[in-house]
Amino acid sequence: MKQQESTNEPLGPAPEFSLRLSSTPRGARLARTLAVQQLTEWYGSPYDSETARTVALVTAELAANAITHGRLPGRDFRLTLLLLPHAVRIEVTDTRPERLPPIPAAGPESADAASGRGLLLVEAYADRWGCTVRDAFTKTVWAEVR
């Protein structure tokens, strides 16, 4: 195994992709598509790779939560992707900082429920995830996928 030589030069910032999208189902679908496209540009991996499918699923769930629970009329959500040394970080920022995501329980309250599984999927497929409130106007829910 070859060890990399260390230099005193600071590493540049992580490559980043960021875009505001409408808080609509169309915006959520577009977020998923753009996340996979950016991933394949960074890694050169095929669209149907396991990592691409995982990024698509996690992005779709975070975006769906943003438009369902974090939406204010006339306000967009932001999709940000960061290429970290160990993972791709998916961030979705919405305009409802007072509505923090719940810690996923074992599942939806009812087995017949049409919703309530999004964060369970994020927890199952992402290596790490969490929520950050940086100001009084927004919150960011993020997930990292290796």
Side-chain angles (χ1 to χ4, degrees), residues 4-59:
Q4 291 187 344
E5 208 173 298
S6 175
T7 64
N8 291 334
E9 294 179 31
L11 297 174
E16 180 178 323
F17 172 84
S18 189
L19 184 66
R20 280 182 27 194
L21 298 162
S22 66
S23 291
T24 63
R26 182 174 186 261
R29 284 190 307 272
L30 187 55
R32 184 184 80 187
T33 301
L34 291 171
V36 171
Q37 181 176 344
Q38 187 62 49
L39 177 78
T40 59
E41 283 186 34
W42 280 338
Y43 285 111
S45 59
Y47 281 92
D48 63 346
S49 69
E50 183 179 338
T51 303
R53 288 192 303 267
T54 300
V55 166
L57 182 136
V58 170
T59 302

Side-chain angles (χ1 to χ4, degrees), residues 121-145:
L121 290 171
V122 170
E123 188 165 286
Y125 283 90
D127 295 295
R128 294 178 352 134
W129 76 276
C131 181
T132 305
V133 177
R134 293 188 180 109
D135 57 42
F137 306 104
T138 61
K139 77 168 173 295
T140 300
V141 182
W142 55 269
E144 293 179 1
V145 175

Side-chain angles (χ1 to χ4, degrees), residues 95-108:
T95 55
R96 298 291 300 267
E98 75 281 4
R99 297 193 73 182
L100 298 176
I103 296 172

Side-chain angles (χ1 to χ4, degrees), residues 54-105:
T54 300
V55 166
L57 182 136
V58 170
T59 302
E61 293 302 334
L62 295 181
N65 282 348
I67 67 167
T68 303
H69 305 291
R71 176 170 136 12
L72 286 174
R75 304 285 301 272
D76 297 335
F77 73 93
R78 177 174 296 279
L79 169 68
T80 302
L81 302 172
L82 297 164
L83 181 58
L84 305 175
H86 64 282
V88 173
R89 184 177 174 116
I90 305 155
E91 297 181 347
V92 175
T93 303
D94 66 46
T95 55
R96 298 291 300 267
E98 75 281 4
R99 297 193 73 182
L100 298 176
I103 296 172

